[in-house]
Amino acid sequence: MIRATRLSLACSTALMALGGAAAAQSVTIGITQNNVGVDSYQTTYEQAFVEAAEANPDVDVVVLDAGGDVSRQIAQIQDLVQQEVDAMIIWPTNGQAVIPAVRQAHRAEIPVVITNSNISEEGFDFVRSFSGPDNIEQGQRAAEIMCDRFTEQGIEGEARIVEITGQPGYTTAIERSDGFQQRLPEVCPDVTLVDSQPGNWNREDAQQVMEAFLVQHDDIDGVYSGDDNMGVGALNAAMSADRAEDITFVGATNFAVGYDAMESGEYWGSIYQSPVDDAEAALQTALDVLDGEDVPFLNYFDTPKITQENMAEFDRPVF
């Protein structure tokens, strides 16, 4: 899927009409995304990215979607290299598998910005900057939310939890799980993680995983999900089994469905992350790199904790 936003043409035409002495300095930025259709976060991200580009008269963008297919994304990166784009933004389908293609872009002297989910460390030498959330910190903050809730309930010495992770091999899924599992024993050393299974960023898959957890484990006090889409799937399974009332649900990337479930008192907390901020930051990072600015390699934006207790401070997500 290819969509191009051509924004500098009208400006260039107008300048030529004035005599052609000055020409608009436009840049072309290509982006290949993970899987726009898989969830509303990625759909909103793409819309925000295109809108941000349209607001800048000196930017042309080529917008691609890998549809979750690693081989397709590699081909898209190679195609952008052939097009000789000025900069490239990649939302990796798989942080390890895309490294050879990223190396090709680097060898072609095309600066690469990784967005949302970082590539594996072996590819860092070929990347100018990562723009996105600190996913390890998100996992850590989710563990703190879970522990604080158990402490309020007086069960921090005996609670048992299960985890539903994102897509296997996907850096965001790995980092959020690592952050959660690293931080939980630090803040609640007596809480036990009894099981962890992937939900693939999919609500229906997560619901099936939770249904299996409920059969396998008689005592579940908490569920941590790598995003709210999966978290609500787990909640739905628990509600169907009439066990949701005794379980604390904590997620990440606060989706509208998670926000609404918090508002109704069924879902406890999450990590607030805006796809609009994510998209705008990626585009601006690429532009800053092209302008020769000193851009940090890890260019994080903040993702605060949100729970039933403080949710009034946050707008309902648009995705």
Side-chain angles (χ1 to χ4, degrees):
M1 180 170 63
I2 301 177
R3 288 183 293 282
T5 302
R6 299 295 178 192
L7 301 166
S8 57
L9 180 59
C11 181
S12 300
T13 302
L15 287 169
M16 286 190 291
L18 291 172
Q25 183 71 32
S26 67
V27 294
T28 299
I29 298 175
I31 180 171
T32 169
Q33 300 160 100
N34 171 36
N35 192 352
V36 173
V38 74
D39 60 47
S40 51
Y41 186 97
Q42 296 193 50
T43 303
T44 305
Y45 177 105
E46 181 183 75
Q47 294 170 347
F49 183 87
V50 171
E51 289 173 4
E54 288 176 342
N56 189 326
D58 298 327
V59 175
D60 301 337
V61 291
V62 181
V63 181
L64 308 173
D65 174 26
D69 187 329
V70 174
S71 60
R72 182 186 301 176
Q73 185 163 65
I74 290 171
Q76 290 175 347
I77 294 170
Q78 293 170 338
D79 182 58
L80 291 172
V81 170
Q82 291 297 316
Q83 292 186 49
E84 298 182 344
V85 296
D86 295 295
M88 192 182 305
I89 299 172
I90 302 172
W91 184 333
T93 54
N94 183 295
Q96 182 68 44
V98 299
I99 290 175
V102 174
R103 185 190 295 114
Q104 291 180 35
H106 175 73
R107 288 175 174 171
E109 299 184 348
I110 298 172
V112 175
V113 172
I114 302 297
T115 182
N116 186 271
S117 179
N118 214 340
I119 63 172
S120 299
E121 190 172 349
E122 303 94 289
F124 285 1
D125 288 344
F126 314 123
V127 173
R128 295 292 297 275
S129 182
F130 166 76
S131 172
D134 185 338
N135 288 299
I136 291 177
E137 184 178 66
Q138 286 201 21
Q140 293 171 340
R141 290 179 172 180
E144 292 165 2
I145 292 172
M146 185 80 76
C147 182
D148 289 345
R149 180 59 173 164
F150 288 158
T151 301
E152 291 174 6
Q153 295 174 323
I155 62 171
E156 73 278 9
E158 59 185 9
R160 294 163 54 85
I161 64 173
V162 294
E163 178 189 28
I164 303 177
T165 63
Q167 180 181 337
Y170 191 67
T171 304
T172 296
I174 295 168
E175 290 182 341
R176 287 184 187 167
S177 179
D178 286 350
F180 183 83
Q181 294 193 28
Q182 291 165 6
R183 185 62 173 151
L184 186 65
E186 295 174 350
V187 292
C188 268
D190 296 320
V191 170
T192 303
L193 175 62
V194 298
D195 213 335
S196 177
Q197 295 294 330
N200 306 310
W201 308 124
N202 183 278
R203 193 180 309 175
E204 290 73 25
D205 288 357
Q207 183 167 338
Q208 292 175 8
V209 170
M210 187 62 187
E211 288 169 352
F213 283 160
L214 292 167
V215 172
Q216 297 163 6
H217 305 287
D218 293 331
D219 186 9
I220 298 176
D221 300 295
V223 178
Y224 168 56
S225 300
D227 71 14
D228 280 0
N229 196 38
M230 297 188 298
V232 170
L235 171 65
N236 290 340
M239 291 177 67
S240 296
D242 198 25
R243 290 177 59 181
E245 189 172 338
D246 298 325
I247 298 175
T248 294
F249 294 87
V250 175
T253 313
N254 186 218
F255 286 53
V257 291
Y259 188 94
D260 293 343
M262 280 195 288
E263 194 169 43
S264 66
E266 298 164 338
Y267 196 86
W268 179 248
S270 186
I271 307 299
Y272 196 84
Q273 178 179 318
S274 165
V276 176
D277 292 346
D278 204 354
E280 292 177 351
L283 179 61
Q284 189 59 53
T285 299
L287 291 172
D288 289 345
V289 167
L290 289 172
D291 285 343
E293 296 188 19
D294 186 14
V295 177
F297 179 73
L298 296 174
N299 198 19
Y300 295 135
F301 61 87
D302 190 33
T303 51
K305 301 175 187 177
I306 178 173
T307 69
Q308 290 181 26
E309 295 177 335
N310 72 340
M311 63 182 297
E313 301 172 14
F314 297 88
D315 294 330
R316 182 179 183 273
V318 297
F319 60 98

